[in-house]
Amino acid sequence: MAKVSLQNISKAYAGRDLFREFSLEIPGGTRLAVVGQNGAGKSTLLKLIAGVSEPDSGRMVLSTGARLGYVAQEMDASDLGMSLLAWVMAALPSWKEFWQRYDAAVAAGDEAAMTALAHEQASLEHALGYNPEHRAKTILSGLGFEEKHMAGPLSGLSGGWRERAKLARVLTAGADVLLLDEPTNHLDLEAVAWLEAFLTAFEGVLIFVAHDRVFLDRVATHTLFLGETKPIWRPGSFSQFLAWREEMEKQWERQAAAIDNKIKQHNVFIDRFRYKSSKARQAQSKLKNVEKLNKEIESLRGDRPDVRGRTLDFSLPEPERCDKTVCAAADLAYHWPDRAPLWPPLTFQLFRGQKVALVGHNGAGKTTLLKLIVGVNKPNDGRLVLGTGVKLGYFSQHQTEILNTEGTVMSEMRRMAGPKATHLECCSTLGLFLLGEDYWDRRVFELSGGEKSRLVLAGLFSARANFLVLDEPTNHLDLESREALVRALAEYSGTILMVAHDRYLLREAAAEVWSVGAEGLVVYEEGYAAYEAARLAEAAAASKAEGAGAAEDNAQSAPKLSRQEDKERKRRVAELRNALYRDIKPKREAFEKLEAELETLLAKQSEVEAVMADPETYAQRELFSKLSKEYSDLSREAEDLLARMAVMEEEIADLEARRAALVEDV
């Protein structure tokens, strides 16, 4: 099985060390999520492993013969003239060339060559399936391409769909070591779900960078955090890494507090007795102890894991109160010229404080509906009104275009925040969005895409809107910024209507999900979990119906290729179910272990509580104080365990739901 070895890698950029003598062994079967702040070196690490970039020192070693998959190629003019399917399949090993070599070996009677070629054939069939064209079409379909797109030229695809095509080409070609940098960019929810299932069944080494919290949790078996000092490798999902990080931080604080307390006690003694001859020797001894303790705490600071990162811990300004009905639509209809309506006439109401996520497949008209609400587009029919006192704040995928690129960050902030916002409020809000004082005099054109998005969001929130209409607000934001924005929106007291592909945002900040499409609006009052469960059940039913249809067709005509395709499909479904089971089993075992630890802690806590309740114990103040501390420590440990169990329980439930949805045809 393929593996990757990083041996004493060093790499500097712009005078700053990204990696310094960094070594890591990544065994086969590992799905490694690389996380960290923007600029920490995540994409650089992938380029180093791919050989696109060279380390300053050290070396990367891949297993002999390991095939590398990396989305890096640029399309040239000759590529753009090819059809989508032909371009994707061009990355496959040539079966024609294989059979030429096999025929030559047979003609020469070369038994050794024929044996080697038989192994090669088995390997190719395992990697690519019995029908490579079917594999390519399956992957393209999973990533959202329709049959009509596959025969069309690449030149007819938009930039986002071309990125999907690049991903499809790498996945179709197969790899032993697969490197993916933000693979969920440009994908809708259905395509992301398909990609997750594909990658969890991947048997080689997967190393990927992503800002999608749910994707990180579902795909990764290990996490590599790139911090300011040294990379940290941990087994487990990203959420498990966060739980470990929090526990490490608490542990560090407890150790630091204990050492600091000893230093204070020694200093009290030293200050009181250092000049008394009878106590001078003891004072001197304690002075030496203080020096040792100071060195110990300095060493502790050096060992402190640098995993805290930057965070945006902010809350939105309290919006002004408006009518109970924020937005009302009656028989709302819209269609592009010479095209059919996007959906049947829509009738709905949004009430004050409601938080709704709008979902649907690409082209369903989600962004169009938002534009109708904010007045960018006009309806063809029906009525749409906003309530009295509604102050609307709109963020679109292209909202950074409203910025004056020649203006400074501060001047643009003041313009967007409005005349009522004070200079102090502007400074404070910019700081909360990681646009501190060193940004204020920068020209907007000097900012990155993510920094421009944060500037627009800062201006939007400072204007104190009570109805936020958000179209992909987390695009271009790093993981820390996304999570802080999610917390703020969850706490926001106004009304929210948003479109997003970030499932963590949908899950945490939206109380309801409205699915829009040809059937109109379907409301999921229990939120994103209910919507996802319905979508998985629908997909499973469709798969079962498709299998029944295929069985009927086979009974009538029984073509050989269809049987092979059906066999291949069943094999893939079984692989997906087995991959999910392999993920579920260790999580269940870990959960049971934590459950046993919790039972032990609670039993111990009850024993301590019973002793403390004894009046004789209360009379012994020193003993009672000791027991109180022990009880407090046990309570804290129990709370930590419960928090970790809650995260793990959610992950297990999610995996089991996905496995149950994969219904294998019989």
Side-chain angles (χ1 to χ4, degrees), residues 130-149:
Y130 298 101
N131 186 347
E133 182 177 341
H134 176 69
R135 171 186 171 87
K137 286 185 175 181
T138 299
I139 289 172
L140 284 166
S141 176
L143 293 176
F145 289 98
E146 297 178 24
E147 188 76 30
K148 62 183 180 182
H149 297 135

Side-chain angles (χ1 to χ4, degrees), residues 197-355:
F198 184 94
L199 294 177
T200 52
F202 180 67
E203 296 178 351
V205 174
L206 170 65
I207 305 172
F208 69 99
V209 175
H211 286 154
D212 183 327
R213 169 78 176 267
V214 178
F215 186 83
L216 287 167
D217 277 345
R218 289 181 175 177
V219 175
T221 60
H222 292 74
T223 301
L224 177 66
F225 178 86
L226 302 183
E228 292 292 333
T229 52
K230 59 182 180 180
I232 298 173
W233 159 282
R234 292 289 302 172
S237 68
F238 181 66
S239 287
Q240 289 171 326
F241 169 77
L242 292 179
W244 171 82
R245 175 174 77 174
E246 185 177 352
E247 178 55 35
M248 289 295 291
E249 187 69 15
K250 288 179 181 177
Q251 183 178 330
W252 186 93
E253 288 174 354
R254 287 195 293 268
Q255 287 180 278
I259 295 171
D260 190 55
N261 189 48
K262 287 181 181 179
I263 291 173
K264 287 178 180 177
Q265 291 175 356
H266 286 341
N267 282 335
V268 168
F269 185 93
I270 292 165
D271 291 342
R272 185 173 180 183
F273 297 114
R274 70 189 306 172
Y275 298 114
K276 291 190 176 182
S277 57
S278 59
K279 300 286 187 179
R281 181 173 294 178
Q282 288 176 270
Q284 192 64 30
S285 175
K286 289 188 180 294
L287 191 59
K288 289 181 180 178
N289 282 338
V290 167
E291 290 175 2
K292 289 180 182 179
L293 290 169
N294 279 325
K295 288 179 181 178
E296 189 176 336
I297 205 166
E298 283 301 318
S299 174
L300 191 62
R301 287 194 182 100
D303 294 337
R304 185 179 195 175
D306 181 33
V307 295
R308 288 162 292 169
R310 302 175 302 168
T311 58
L312 296 175
D313 189 9
F314 67 90
S315 58
L316 305 183
E318 188 65 27
E320 297 175 5
R321 195 172 177 83
C322 62
D323 275 356
K324 182 178 180 181
T325 301
V326 173
C327 175
D331 297 324
L332 187 68
Y334 187 83
H335 63 83
W336 299 106
D338 302 322
R339 293 190 187 180
L342 287 167
W343 3 258
L346 303 178
T347 298
F348 61 85
Q349 287 183 303
L350 265 174
F351 298 106
R352 185 177 62 237
Q354 206 169 358
K355 297 177 181 178

